[in-house]
C-alpha cells in the first residue's frame, strides 16, 4: 500500500507538533490558582504564561500534579525597569504541617540595580538555609532557564544549566532532607515591599503597574501524581532519567565554585551572628 507523499508529510508534521506539545504546555501542566481574573494568562497556545501584579493583587499558577522527586525547568523573563518591591517566584512545596519547600525567588530592584536571586530549602518545616546570588546577565532582557533538580541524594539549583547551589542529603547526620512529601511546582508574582528590596527601604512604585513576568518552556520531569497520597515512596523505578542520580561532575564543580566565589552575596553558612555554630550541612566538602 502506497502512502502519498503529502500524507506522509502531514503525519510527520503531526508527530513534530505532538513532540513540541509534549515539551511545553502550560494548559496541560498547570492551573492558575491566583489572579485568574486576567492577571495570570496562558499565552501563545500554551507555550507561555504571563503573570502580572498591580496594586490590588499579584498572580500565580501551580502544577496540576504532585511530584516526589524530579527535575523542573522553567524559562523566565523577569519584570523589567523599576521592579523594586516585586518578587517573582518558582518553587516547589508540599502541603500540610512540617512542610518541605525548595525556593527560587527573584527580588526586584530599582531601575539599573541588580536583582537578588534568593534560594532556600525547607525540610520538615524548618528553613533558615538562605543563599543569595547575583546573576551574570540581565534577567529582564531575555528568557533564561532556571532549574531545580530534586533526587534522593541532593537538590541542585541551576541557571542556564550552570549549578548555583547544591544541598546534599547528609543521611545519617540528622540534617533533615525532603524525601517523603510530594511537592507541587508553584510560580507567582507579588509585592513584598516591606522586605524585598534593600530590606524594605525601596517601595513598589505603583505608577509603573502592572508589573509583568513571562514564563516559557515549562518542563516537569518526574512521575506525576494526581494527589499527594498517590505518589508512593518516590523510589520506584518508573523510568531511567538522568536527574534521578544527577550530581556534579568535574565541570559542574568548577562552575559552581565560580558562581559561589563571584556571584554569591549571602550564605547562611557564614552568618555567625545568626548561627554562632556552623550548621552541620555547611561543614566539610559541599560539592
Ligand atoms: C538592589 O540594588 C542595591 C544597590 O546596588 C543592592 O545593594 C541590593 O542588594 C539590590 N537588590 C535588592 C533585592 O535589594
Ligand atoms: C524506598 O523508600 C522507602 C521510604 O522512603 C525506604 O524505606 C526504602 O528503603 C526505599 N527503597 C529503596 C529500594 O531505596
Amino acid at each position: 500500500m502506497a502512502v502519498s507523499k503529502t500524507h506522509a508529510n502531514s503525519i510527520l508534521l503531526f508527530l513534530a507538533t505532538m513532540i513540541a506539545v509534549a515539551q511545553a504546555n502550560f494548559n496541560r501542566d498547570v492551573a492558575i490558582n491566583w489572579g485568574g481574573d486576567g492577571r495570570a494568562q496562558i499565552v501563545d497556545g500554551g507555550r507561555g504564561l504571563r503573570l502580572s501584579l498591580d496594586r490590588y493583587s499579584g498572580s500565580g499558577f501551580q502544577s496540576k500534579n504532585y511530584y516526589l522527586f524530579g527535575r523542573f525547568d522553567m524559562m523566565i523573563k523577569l519584570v523589567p525597569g523599576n521592579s523594586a518591591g516585586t518578587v517573582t517566584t518558582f518553587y516547589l512545596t508540599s502541603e500540610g504541617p512540617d512542610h518541605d519547600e525548595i525556593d527560587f525567588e527573584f527580588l526586584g530592584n530599582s531601575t539599573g540595580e541588580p536583582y537578588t536571586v534568593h534560594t532556600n530549602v525547607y525540610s520538615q518545616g524548618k528553613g533558615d538555609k538562605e543563599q543569595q546570588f547575583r546573576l551574570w546577565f540581565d534577567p529582564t532582557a531575555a528568557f533564561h532557564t532556571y532549574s531545580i533538580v530534586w533526587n534522593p541524594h541532593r537538590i541542585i539549583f541551576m541557571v542556564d544549566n550552570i549549578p548555583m547551589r547544591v544541598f546534599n542529603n547528609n543521611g545519617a547526620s540528622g540534617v533533615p532532607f525532603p524525601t517523603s512529601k510530594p511537592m507541587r511546582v508553584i510560580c507567582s508574582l507579588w509585592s513584598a515591599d516591606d522586605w524585598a528590596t534593600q530590606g524594605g527601604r525601596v517601595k513598589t512604585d505603583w505608577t509603573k503597574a502592572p508589573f509583568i513576568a513571562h514564563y516559557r518552556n515549562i518542563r516537569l520531569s518526574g512521575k506525576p501524581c494526581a494527589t499527594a497520597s498517590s505518589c508512593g515512596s518516590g523510589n520506584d523505578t518508573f523510568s531511567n532519567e538522568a536527574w534521578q542520580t544527577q550530581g556534579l561532575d568535574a565541570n559542574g564543580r568548577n562552575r559552581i565554585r565560580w558562581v559561589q566565589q563571584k556571584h554569591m552575596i549571602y550564605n547562611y553558612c557564614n552568618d555567625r551572628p545568626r548561627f554562632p555554630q556552623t550548621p552541620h550541612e555547611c561543614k566539610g566538602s559541599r560539592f
Side-chain angles (χ1 to χ4, degrees):
M1 193 178 78
V3 178
S4 80
K5 196 153 178 236
T6 20
H7 190 196
N9 278 345
S10 63
I11 290 173
L12 279 181
L13 183 63
F14 174 74
L15 287 176
T17 312
M18 290 300 289
I19 290 164
V21 166
Q23 277 169 357
N25 186 337
F26 284 93
N27 283 313
R28 180 196 56 200
D29 291 344
V30 311
I32 288 168
N33 63 328
W34 185 29
D37 41 351
R39 287 189 186 87
Q41 276 183 345
I42 294 177
V43 298
D44 207 5
R47 285 193 295 275
L49 196 152
R50 194 173 69 213
L51 291 184
S52 70
L53 161 71
D54 56 41
R55 70 172 77 229
Y56 305 106
S57 178
S59 55
F61 61 94
Q62 63 183 25
S63 61
K64 290 181 181 166
N65 290 303
Y66 296 80
Y67 300 84
L68 186 50
F69 306 121
R71 174 176 171 144
F72 311 93
D73 302 283
M74 192 78 75
M75 290 189 91
I76 310 175
K77 189 155 71 133
L78 296 171
V79 175
N82 184 357
S83 58
T86 71
V87 180
T88 305
T89 70
F90 163 37
Y91 64 103
L92 301 173
T93 187
S94 70
E95 289 163 6
D98 298 326
H99 81 296
D100 295 338
E101 189 177 313
I102 305 171
D103 296 326
F104 258 127
E105 296 189 302
F106 304 91
L107 315 184
N109 216 332
S110 320
T111 306
E113 300 297 337
Y115 264 81
T116 293
V117 180
H118 177 95
T119 65
N120 203 358
V121 175
Y122 284 75
S123 191
Q124 296 172 21
K126 189 179 177 309
D128 293 338
K129 300 181 201 63
E130 299 87 354
Q131 289 185 353
Q132 296 183 333
F133 304 84
R134 290 264 186 268
L135 293 164
W136 43 95
F137 50 81
D138 175 0
T140 72
F143 283 93
H144 289 269
T145 302
Y146 303 90
S147 310
I148 296 171
V149 172
W150 171 38
N151 66 36
H153 315 287
R154 61 191 67 82
I155 291 163
I156 312 175
F157 295 82
M158 293 190 293
V159 175
D160 292 333
N161 266 318
I162 297 175
M164 170 174 262
R165 172 174 188 180
V166 174
F167 183 73
N168 285 310
N169 184 352
N170 279 295
S173 72
V175 179
F177 183 90
T179 54
S180 60
K181 299 190 190 83
M183 302 206 234
R184 268 197 224 259
V185 178
I186 302 189
C187 296
S188 60
L189 173 59
W190 53 294
S191 167
D193 67 3
D194 49 340
W195 63 269
T197 303
Q198 297 177 33
R201 285 188 298 277
V202 185
K203 302 295 179 193
T204 304
D205 177 0
W206 293 112
T207 66
K208 300 289 188 310
F211 300 97
I212 295 178
H214 298 270
Y215 292 76
R216 211 165 76 182
N217 278 29
I218 182 171
R219 237 179 111 171
L220 311 178
S221 315
K223 192 179 84 175
C225 334
T227 62
S229 56
S230 64
C231 271
S233 73
N235 52 8
D236 38 338
T237 49
F238 63 90
S239 65
N240 190 11
E241 295 178 24
W243 62 262
Q244 292 179 296
T245 53
Q246 190 168 337
L248 300 186
D249 56 11
N251 182 40
R253 286 193 294 275
N254 280 337
R255 300 186 106 183
I256 198 170
R257 275 189 208 107
W258 171 76
V259 174
Q260 298 210 342
Q261 280 164 16
K262 302 272 194 243
H263 302 284
M264 185 188 265
I265 56 170
Y266 176 79
N267 185 357
Y268 77 109
C269 288
N270 303 330
D271 191 339
R272 265 330 126 245
R274 228 177 126 200
F275 304 105
Q277 304 209 312
T278 307
H280 195 286
E281 67 278 15
C282 300
K283 294 177 186 160
S285 157
R286 299 190 306 282
F287 316 128

